[in-house]
Amino acid sequence: MAENQHFASIIRAYDEYRAWGLAKADRLERHYGKLSDADRAVMRVDNKVAGMRAAVEQNARVIAQLVAPHRASVPAGDDPRVQVAMPQPDGSTRFVPTSRTDYVPESDLEKVQSTLKQFVREWGAEGRAERESAHGPVLDALRKEFPQPEGVRVLLPGAGLGRLVWEVAMAGYVAQGCEFSYFMLIAADFLMNRLGAAQETVTLHPWALQTCNAVSAADQLRPAVAPEVPPSDLPEESNLSMCAGDFLEVYRDSEAAWEALVTLFFVDTAHDPSEYVRAAWRMIADGGVWINMGPLLWHFHDMPGEVSIELTWQELRSLIVACGFVFEREEWCRCSYTCNPQSLYQMQYNCIFFVARRPPRQPADGSEP
Ligand SMILES: C[S@@+](CC[C@H](N)C(=O)[O-])C[C@H]1O[C@@H](n2cnc3c(N)ncnc32)[C@H](O)[C@@H]1O
């Protein structure tokens, strides 16, 4: 799909969230309608459904703010290459360009929902424990490696909503995030640039549509405020940048350019992890380090038609060693990901945390480096 048509489809997904969320509340209400009036009254489920609708409306208001400045970038016109079968009033079906319909795949709506949860993981007060377990060891390792942060360049691909990039910049390093999802980029721009500059916060209800494993309606509907710290707290002299695009493409020519590469819940986003390992080897400066924290939930493992080279940790490790990296730390850390701390369902990954050093390059003529 052409890039601008892809962008348009992301905006459509954000726009569709309200109708999608309200339809979920309608469905639940229909099913609760099978209960007796007395049972519904005793459990107060009608109040909960009303609360879900109000929560979806509030989320949609935040989404409208988030998307507003990007509407001008949505291309006019159709891309005839991507078509969807639309039922016609006469009962027939006709293929029309998706750009001319309101069609949004369910998977894109799930991504809108995940982005709302990512607000909490990265910028909400309830995400603090998750950040401590995931960001904490990474930041500690960085500080140990480079106690003098000035001029130390740190690249963070798969930056999400930018919180760890911000923390690295706050610690005095030259921090650059790279992210290719427009869902994330649009939300990160909103949080870090627009809310940040205005010193404002937004209130979301990220768990409102999560009807399983809730302890109470109040838990399900509870608000989350973000950002919990003003992104504009960065000192004047800080050095933070975000780069939009595919890590493998954007840094194709980057050689020995970063003292540290930090990958947080990122390695398993690869179609072919050997490409990530070789890119890391090329772009890390002599004596620099690769700091990683994350599981191996290969993102493409269940996507038909997508290449997905799924490796065990030992397989991946042997590739990293064969490339030339020297492991200096290797530990297992329990971390959750966009976990609802109030839910009956709690899931944690046993993440691999490592610090691997890239030894200095050998000069081509074989002389001492
Ligand atoms: C599992 S999320 C982790 C986000 C963040 N690091 C965190 O831990 O909260 C992986 C992120 O990597 C991004 N991503 C995946 N492949 C990428 C690539 N090739 N280049 C840049 N970003 C990528 C995804 O869009 C997603 O935001």
Side-chain angles (χ1 to χ4, degrees):
M1 199 187 309
E3 195 63 13
N4 53 6
Q5 291 297 332
H6 173 59
F7 185 73
S9 75
I10 305 302
I11 301 292
R12 270 204 303 282
Y14 270 128
D15 283 347
E16 191 60 19
Y17 168 83
R18 178 176 175 275
W20 179 74
L22 291 177
K24 286 193 179 295
D26 291 349
R27 172 193 156 275
L28 200 60
E29 186 174 55
R30 270 197 314 279
H31 293 186
Y32 286 154
K34 297 183 190 305
L35 297 169
S36 69
D37 290 351
D39 284 354
R40 282 213 315 276
V42 103
M43 294 188 284
R44 300 166 53 89
V45 288
D46 295 342
N47 288 359
K48 182 178 71 180
V49 172
M52 285 171 68
R53 289 201 178 100
V56 168
E57 295 286 4
Q58 171 59 18
N59 290 346
R61 275 193 288 276
V62 173
I63 287 172
Q65 268 182 279
L66 191 136
V67 164
H70 301 281
R71 284 196 190 286
S73 322
V74 175
D78 295 332
D79 180 353
R81 287 171 300 177
V82 187
Q83 307 232 350
V84 63
M86 294 295 286
Q88 301 298 302
D90 64 3
S92 65
T93 306
R94 195 160 66 88
F95 279 93
V96 290
T98 45
S99 48
R100 218 188 297 159
T101 73
D102 289 335
Y103 172 74
V104 178
E106 182 73 12
S107 58
D108 278 3
L109 288 157
E110 293 292 348
K111 283 183 192 155
V112 173
Q113 176 97 312
S114 308
T115 307
L116 299 183
K117 293 179 186 170
Q118 191 81 16
F119 268 65
V120 179
R121 169 173 171 82
E122 298 201 38
W123 293 99
E126 278 198 75
R128 254 178 232 150
E130 205 166 287
R131 289 195 296 277
E132 261 159 40
S133 58
H135 296 187
V138 169
L139 289 165
D140 286 349
L142 207 50
R143 285 196 193 96
K144 268 196 200 112
E145 273 302 322
F146 306 102
Q148 304 297 329
E150 295 77 23
V152 174
R153 299 160 298 177
V154 183
L155 177 64
L156 302 100
L161 300 183
R163 178 62 183 266
L164 185 58
V165 187
W166 184 86
E167 294 288 353
V168 169
M170 276 297 268
Y173 300 95
V174 177
Q176 184 163 113
C178 167
E179 175 57 60
F180 78 171
S181 155
Y182 283 127
F183 286 110
M184 293 289 180
L185 287 165
I186 290 173
D189 167 58
F190 177 63
L191 274 157
M192 294 174 75
N193 298 330
R194 290 159 51 213
L195 286 182
Q199 299 253 346
E200 283 173 5
T201 58
V202 284
T203 301
L204 290 163
H205 301 270
W207 323 111
L209 298 175
Q210 199 170 306
T211 50
C212 295
N213 288 314
V215 174
S216 68
D219 276 351
Q220 185 184 328
L221 299 174
R222 73 191 186 284
V225 175
E228 50 116 38
V229 289
S232 56
D233 273 3
L234 269 186
E236 272 289 295
E237 64 281 8
S238 306
N239 195 326
L240 182 158
S241 54
M242 284 284 273
C243 203
D246 181 339
F247 160 69
L248 290 174
E249 293 292 319
V250 174
Y251 301 96
R252 196 192 298 137
D253 300 323
S254 173
E255 179 135 6
W258 306 93
E259 279 69 39
L261 177 73
V262 170
T263 49
L264 178 69
F265 281 70
F266 178 70
V267 165
D268 54 5
T269 64
H271 286 279
D272 174 357
S274 75
E275 291 187 320
Y276 280 13
V277 174
R278 298 219 159 78
W281 179 253
R282 174 175 31 80
M283 64 177 61
I284 296 176
D286 283 3
V289 287
W290 178 3
I291 301 173
N292 175 75
M293 170 76 87
L296 294 178
L297 178 62
W298 300 106
H299 281 212
F300 295 99
H301 78 277
D302 57 356
M303 292 195 201
E306 296 283 354
V307 170
S308 178
I309 297 181
E310 295 141 28
L311 304 178
T312 65
W313 165 239
Q314 286 306 325
E315 289 159 352
L316 180 60
R317 186 187 190 286
S318 61
L319 196 64
I320 296 172
V321 170
C323 211
F325 283 102
V326 178
F327 277 91
E328 295 191 352
R329 285 179 68 184
E330 225 178 318
E331 291 152 32
W332 301 102
C333 295
R334 295 214 163 254
C335 299
S336 54
Y337 193 89
T338 60
C339 163
N340 173 357
Q342 310 285 354
S343 171
L344 298 178
Y345 176 74
Q346 297 293 325
M347 197 281 232
Q348 287 195 322
Y349 294 99
N350 202 14
C351 291
I352 178 69
F353 168 70
F354 69 72
V355 178
R357 190 170 306 281
R358 192 216 194 282
R361 285 159 174 76
Q362 298 298 325
D365 63 3
S367 61
E368 285 299 305

